[in-house]
Amino acid sequence: MGAQTDLAFQKEDDVIPPALRLVRDFVNTVEYQLDDERLKEPSDLSDWLRARGLLTSAVTATPEDLAFAKKLREGLRGVLELHAGHDADASSIQRLNEALEELPVRVSFGESESFGLVPASTRPVRGALAGMLDAVRQSTEDGTWARLKACARDSCRWAYYDHSRNRSSRWCTMAGCGNIVKMQKAYAARKGRPQATT
């Protein structure tokens, strides 16, 4: 998008907690503006999970695992839209809750009396995807979960970490989507038309 946008994403990468980075990167495995789906094949999902240390075996995801992962991803995006203060697709939240019924986890305590959510399934890919739920748990505990948002620009919906002091950011970057939306609103106001958010 340009130097300013790249700088904004670099700053975000410098401050985002690791648990939120995992969820953000998972949600961003599709970039709608570029029609860029990174999880096209089941092996893409296996590779993505393995690269993040969530899947250690040579297991390959099935087509059903891939469909499940996409349902989980879009449900999480719906929650991130709510974090940003805009309406989420109610069906995506419903599908998320349905997906969570298929993703059993259990609480497991460690030596330091801390606990985590671990898979209660023998299905390795589903177990790896349970790592997303533990990342949500971690970020809820440290108070950063609400800072993970989805861009308010309808054609973008990119997941980003809101590192603004007052947590009021609405776009993935001000230099990119923020400027585009503001220019569209200004143009619509000059023309006396309803504002666009695409």
Side-chain angles (χ1 to χ4, degrees), residues 5-16:
T5 303
D6 292 344
L7 187 60
F9 285 133
Q10 180 181 351
K11 182 176 182 183
E12 178 181 316
D13 279 346
D14 291 343
V15 297
I16 188 170

Side-chain angles (χ1 to χ4, degrees), residues 58-73:
V59 173
T60 300
T62 66
E64 292 78 20
D65 290 330
L66 181 60
F68 174 82
K70 289 180 178 181
K71 183 169 27 172
L72 182 64
R73 177 184 71 188

Side-chain angles (χ1 to χ4, degrees), residues 16-28 48-49 52 54 128 131-135 148:
I16 188 170
L20 283 182
R21 179 189 300 260
L22 176 66
V23 178
R24 181 201 65 183
D25 292 352
F26 178 63
V27 172
N28 288 342
W48 191 92
L49 292 167
R52 282 145 189 87
L54 296 172
M132 299 300 149
L133 298 185
D134 194 56
L148 192 61

Side-chain angles (χ1 to χ4, degrees), residues 29-192:
T29 55
V30 63
E31 188 169 357
Y32 289 113
Q33 292 186 106
L34 302 176
D35 194 24
D36 181 18
E37 172 62 74
R38 294 181 191 103
L39 301 179
K40 293 179 183 173
E41 302 293 332
S43 60
D44 297 333
L45 175 60
S46 303
D47 292 344
W48 191 92
L49 292 167
R50 237 186 313 281
R52 282 145 189 87
L54 296 172
L55 191 64
T56 56
S57 65
V59 173
T60 300
T62 66
E64 292 78 20
D65 290 330
L66 181 60
F68 174 82
K70 289 180 178 181
K71 183 169 27 172
L72 182 64
R73 177 184 71 188
E74 293 313 307
L76 288 169
R77 187 186 315 280
V79 174
L80 304 186
E81 289 171 345
L82 293 173
H83 286 180
H86 45 280
D87 295 333
D89 174 10
S91 65
S92 70
I93 303 294
Q94 180 182 348
R95 287 191 305 272
L96 173 62
N97 286 325
E98 291 168 0
L100 294 177
E101 290 176 10
E102 299 177 46
L103 195 63
V105 294
R106 62 181 174 80
V107 174
S108 176
F109 282 86
E111 293 178 15
S112 65
E113 297 182 14
S114 65
F115 69 90
L117 298 177
V118 296
S121 171
T122 57
R123 299 170 74 179
V125 174
R126 301 293 171 100
L129 289 168
M132 299 300 149
L133 298 185
D134 194 56
V136 170
R137 179 203 57 81
Q138 289 175 49
S139 59
T140 300
E141 283 184 359
D142 69 19
T144 59
W145 174 236
R147 285 186 176 266
L148 192 61
K149 301 179 177 182
C151 183
R153 185 174 175 209
D154 291 341
S155 62
C156 179
R157 300 171 63 225
W158 190 253
Y160 69 96
Y161 180 68
D162 179 359
H163 53 82
S164 66
R165 186 170 294 169
N166 61 2
R167 301 179 180 207
S168 63
S169 176
R170 296 199 29 88
W171 302 287
C172 58
T173 65
M174 188 60 215
C177 289
N179 276 340
I180 291 169
V181 171
K182 287 188 171 197
M183 287 188 302
Q184 288 174 337
K185 287 181 180 181
Y187 179 76
R190 282 195 311 270
K191 296 293 185 184

